[in-house]
Amino acid sequence: MNFIFELDKRNYIKRRESFDLEYKQSFQGGDNLIKYAKSLVGMANNKGGQIIFGIQDSPHTPIGISTKKWIEIDPRKIDRIIREYFSQEIEWSQQILEFDGKEFGQLAVFESENKPIICSKNKDNLLREGAIYYRYRAETKEIEFAELKNLLDKEKEKEKLMWMQHIQKIAQIGPNNVSLFDTYKGEISVGNGKILLDKSIVDKLNFIQKGKFVESEEEGLPTLRLVGDIEGLVDPSIVVESDKLYPLLAKDIKDRLNLNPHDLQCIIWKLEIKGDKRYHTEIRLGEKSNPIHKYSEALVPVINRLLKKGDFLRNCKSDYSKFQKEQQKLKKKK
């Protein structure tokens, strides 16, 4: 998640605190970690966001932080706080940013895929059991009715879309080629048979997701790892090749939509297509080889529909150009 240090003539940061941005002058331990976790959860319940450390309170000027204290903090400590006090984990990251010869801390969090995240435990006057924390403009507090209703309505709509996507995938792959993993009963349905997982494994099952910390069994959540080739579960003859799900190269999309390579690059960047399993996958022919980017047929009508909006392509190109210039500035400063 990028943060741009854009200053005015007085060297004040132009961007103000908002629903996705919070400034802290310094990084502190103790109960402050709970406050940071609360802010991250509030942002995850909204659209995601970031906390930037090393910004003077008033006025907002970049002063930097002591990286020693920042480096010494164990990310697993914050992760444990989130697991202890909230109903589910969130996808977050910690890193150091550099600007004008100074270093800054960043805690960034993505929008949660499953909302709302609920506080599961009281903590002094900091957290209340059953509360849903939500990031408003420049503050994190318990969610109000309008935002809660909107959040729940969106979750209902997302569930409908998820059902539609599952049905579309089944139609694309073919009902006979689909195997289902029931994490509730611990059953993998393969054809007319079932493979059962022991309940003791299912109860402790924790999937590894991008952005999560994987700890040892003594310190963290137990993780089921499948290593190597799995034989005998699914007939290899019914496995759908990636070329069938993602048949298009960038050149194919460019030709179909009558775009030049740069225009398509700007659009794919703007829409954050790479990494979105609905539209994109990577194929590597070797460990050291560059990835080959493949795209699904579903991406073409999406881009085509957006191109009909007169300013869409122009905005994509403009935003991508600004992004590249900022990246070049950062490289020069390093």
Side-chain angles (χ1 to χ4, degrees):
M1 190 174 292
N2 294 321
F3 178 78
I4 299 175
F5 291 87
E6 189 175 358
L7 309 181
D8 63 16
K9 294 179 180 179
R10 298 172 295 178
N11 287 326
Y12 298 168
I13 293 182
K14 289 185 178 181
R15 189 176 174 189
R16 297 187 176 185
E17 288 186 310
S18 62
F19 73 92
D20 64 350
L21 179 62
E22 182 175 345
Y23 294 134
K24 294 292 183 184
Q25 185 163 305
S26 60
F27 180 80
Q28 305 293 332
D31 283 348
N32 287 287
L33 297 181
I34 295 177
K35 295 178 182 178
Y36 304 152
K38 177 180 175 181
S39 289
L40 292 176
V41 167
M43 291 175 180
N45 271 329
N46 195 332
K47 297 292 183 182
Q50 54 191 318
I51 307 173
I52 304 296
F53 297 86
I55 308 299
Q56 184 173 291
D57 290 338
S58 182
H60 287 145
T61 55
I63 59 175
I65 61 168
S66 167
T67 53
K68 183 176 183 294
K69 182 178 289 187
W70 180 260
I71 293 172
E72 285 176 350
I73 184 66
D74 188 343
R76 292 178 296 183
K77 194 168 185 179
I78 299 176
D79 218 42
R80 288 192 193 101
I81 289 172
I82 294 169
R83 295 204 306 266
E84 180 179 357
Y85 289 99
F86 295 96
S87 60
Q88 64 196 58
E89 294 183 70
I90 56 177
E91 188 175 340
W92 68 281
S93 64
Q94 174 188 4
Q95 61 180 324
I96 295 175
L97 307 178
E98 294 183 4
F99 174 75
D100 196 25
K102 304 182 183 74
E103 293 183 312
F104 302 80
Q106 181 198 54
L107 293 180
V109 64
F110 289 97
E111 179 179 359
S112 177
E113 292 184 3
N114 300 300
K115 302 177 187 177
I117 304 168
I118 304 171
C119 180
S120 58
K121 187 177 178 181
N122 289 319
K123 175 60 178 175
D124 302 328
N125 294 321
L126 300 175
L127 299 174
R128 186 180 67 82
E129 182 181 355
I132 298 171
Y133 294 105
Y134 193 79
R135 181 69 182 179
Y136 290 89
R137 185 171 182 82
E139 68 172 333
T140 301
K141 63 179 184 178
E142 291 191 30
I143 196 167
E144 296 179 0
F145 173 77
E147 286 73 30
L148 178 59
K149 183 178 185 303
N150 184 53
L151 185 153
L152 295 177
D153 287 345
K154 285 184 177 179
E155 287 300 299
K156 289 180 182 178
E157 184 64 25
K158 189 171 70 175
E159 185 175 349
K160 291 179 183 178
L161 292 174
M162 194 177 296
W163 275 110
M164 292 174 63
Q165 290 170 2
H166 286 327
I167 293 170
Q168 288 171 353
K169 285 183 179 179
I170 292 172
Q172 185 179 19
I173 296 171
N176 295 331
N177 299 331
V178 175
S179 300
L180 300 177
F181 181 16
D182 184 341
T183 57
Y184 180 75
K185 294 181 179 179
E187 298 177 350
I188 302 176
S189 299
V190 181
N192 295 323
K194 292 182 179 179
I195 299 170
L196 299 180
L197 295 180
D198 189 273
K199 188 177 184 301
S200 63
I201 295 177
V202 177
D203 289 344
K204 299 177 181 178
L205 190 61
N206 178 46
F207 290 103
I208 302 173
Q209 296 179 3
K210 181 181 177 183
K212 299 287 196 310
F213 289 94
V214 181
E215 307 173 22
S216 65
E217 291 186 1
E218 292 80 10
E219 295 180 332
L221 291 175
T223 302
L224 178 65
R225 302 186 184 189
L226 302 180
V227 181
D229 296 329
I230 303 172
E231 298 179 353
L233 296 184
V234 180
D235 184 350
S237 65
I238 67 173
V239 175
V240 179
E241 297 178 2
S242 62
D243 282 348
K244 292 183 179 179
L245 296 177
Y246 306 96
L248 305 178
L249 295 168
K251 179 181 180 300
D252 302 318
I253 298 175
K254 173 180 68 70
D255 293 343
R256 287 196 192 183
L257 299 174
N258 195 26
L259 296 167
N260 62 51
H262 178 70
D263 288 351
L264 181 58
Q265 184 178 7
C266 294
I267 292 171
I268 288 176
W269 172 84
K270 180 68 175 178
L271 298 179
E272 298 181 346
I273 295 301
K274 290 183 178 177
D276 188 332
K277 298 295 185 184
R278 295 172 298 174
Y279 307 119
H280 170 264
T281 192
E282 287 185 2
I283 298 173
R284 291 183 183 270
L285 301 179
E287 290 184 4
K288 297 182 179 180
S289 65
N290 292 326
I292 299 173
H293 296 281
K294 302 293 292 293
Y295 302 91
S296 69
E297 289 282 357
L299 180 59
V300 177
V302 170
I303 296 178
N304 189 42
R305 184 172 65 253
L306 292 171
L307 285 171
K308 293 178 181 178
K309 299 179 180 179
D311 58 349
F312 171 71
L313 180 56
R314 182 171 62 253
N315 289 339
C316 289
K317 294 165 72 172
S318 174
D319 290 347
Y320 186 64
S321 177
K322 291 177 183 177
F323 170 74
Q324 286 186 311
K325 288 178 181 177
E326 291 298 333
Q327 293 299 304
Q328 289 172 359
K329 288 180 183 178
L330 291 174
K331 286 182 181 179
K332 288 180 180 179
K333 288 176 181 178
K334 290 181 180 179

